[in-house]
Amino acid sequence: MQPIQLFDAASSTYTYILFDEATREALIIDPVDEQIERDLSVLRQYGLKLQWTVETHAHADHITSASQLAEHAGAKTAAPAGCGITTAAVQLEDGNALSFGGEHLRALATPGHTSGSMSFVWRDHVFTGDTLLINGCGRTDFQSGSAEAMYDSLTRILFTLPDATTVWPGHDYQGRTHSTIGFEKSNNARVAGKSLEEFVTIMHALHLPPPKRIDEAVPANLSSGVRHDADGVGEKAFREASGYAGDVSATLAYRWWQAGEAVLVDVRTDAEREWVGFVPGSVAVAWKQWPGMAMNADFDTAIQSTVPHGKKALFLCRSGVRSIAAAKRATELGLEAYNILEGFEGDPDTRAHRGNKGGWRMAGLPWRQN
Ligand SMILES: N[C@@H](CCC(=O)N[C@@H](CS)C(=O)NCC(=O)O)C(=O)O
Ligand SMILES: [Fe+2]
């Protein structure tokens, strides 16, 4: 069985789709945001259920579609732990495996292009990202790259895979599609037969111009592809509200929470969290709104003991309705309370108007299913 190889001509990036033939569960490696329609149609055409989006590293030349695929196709996001992609649901360590149906993809730490870069092994295939390229290798001059680490990753990690292993690179700038470990070990112009010193000299002499989109791509890729200046979901996505401190985008809420300024309170029921998913580290205080019920004493007691003095309370529900009610009540109790716009799942109508940008999961922020 072969992986499906797809190409983005603008960045010369290869994206790969692997799947289990029996269950049709699939995984995508290094998806490109401009190609989301193509990728969704390939998934449909093959009848696949996308389980995972996987990054080989935080790219500097294009933006990933991981967060969009999480929303549109229900995939979970995975990325190398060392890449600082804080929004990925699974932070991969060397040797970890991702399962799709009865198949497994194994992560190999291969630093060098960036310090967190990984390659992935599936059956007798290896997806080398920008570590090993055909007759080349990824550059090592930015994003904590290191020629020494690259030499080690090539010679001690990738070149110890069986010679017949097919190599599927993250890019090719000359139209080549794949190679083998055996061929690269004996023919790769940068590394075959070269000492560490010779290799480092070659890498330091490359003097490549920086990727054109680096300033835009790296920050977006550190959030699984969410652009921070995107309409309505940017860092400044805050608006005042009456009866509570304000409405915030999921992305801004996440930043406040990560900075330790706020407590994230999930006001959905246990059943919703179990079925739909939850944010690891959030506090569960259900908001129960029965018709005719004036007060919610359990909520009052729980919320007062949950949010320490001086911290903001951020309320999250399914689509942003119960969280407003909870924020208003918390305000009456003396808290600085915010509603997270469009909740955990987002509101499909609002999303359509905004170009599908609302809600926690849509923003590519971390979440998990039991
Ligand atoms: N010209 C491309 C950048 C190409 C580039 O720097 N590619 C990186 C991968 S992100 C690389 O490692 N290239 C290796 C090489 O060109 O030898 C752009 O502006 O986006
Ligand atoms: Fe790269």
Side-chain angles (χ1 to χ4, degrees), residues 10-11 57 59-62 113 130 133 136-140 142-143 171 173 190 206 208-213:
S11 62
H57 60 293
H59 308 280
D61 60 337
H62 68 272
H113 176 55
D130 297 354
L133 302 177
C137 63
R139 62 196 292 174
T140 54
F142 55 61
Q143 284 183 287
H171 296 286
Y173 301 99
R190 287 206 187 145
L206 288 179
L208 297 167
K212 289 187 238 19
R213 297 180 66 191

Side-chain angles (χ1 to χ4, degrees), residues 18-36:
L18 320 183
F19 64 93
D20 177 77
E21 280 182 331
T23 63
R24 315 307 283 175
E25 291 187 355
L27 161 162
I28 193 164
I29 301 175
D30 287 341
V32 175
D33 71 344
E34 273 96 354
Q35 301 292 349
I36 178 127

Side-chain angles (χ1 to χ4, degrees), residues 21-58:
E21 280 182 331
T23 63
R24 315 307 283 175
E25 291 187 355
L27 161 162
I28 193 164
I29 301 175
D30 287 341
V32 175
D33 71 344
E34 273 96 354
Q35 301 292 349
I36 178 127
E37 292 306 330
R38 176 201 66 189
D39 296 348
L40 289 170
S41 90
V42 170
L43 293 168
R44 272 194 300 273
Q45 185 191 329
Y46 283 79
L48 303 179
K49 227 175 101 219
L50 192 65
Q51 302 292 304
W52 296 104
T53 70
V54 187
E55 305 295 330
T56 54
H57 60 293

Side-chain angles (χ1 to χ4, degrees), residues 35 46 75 93 122 168 180 221 231 245 248 253 298-299 315 331 334 338 353:
Q35 301 292 349
Y46 283 79
E93 303 282 357
W122 173 63
W168 301 95
T180 63
N221 286 325
D231 179 37
V248 290
D298 290 352
F299 176 86
F315 289 100
T331 306
Y338 296 83
H353 289 122

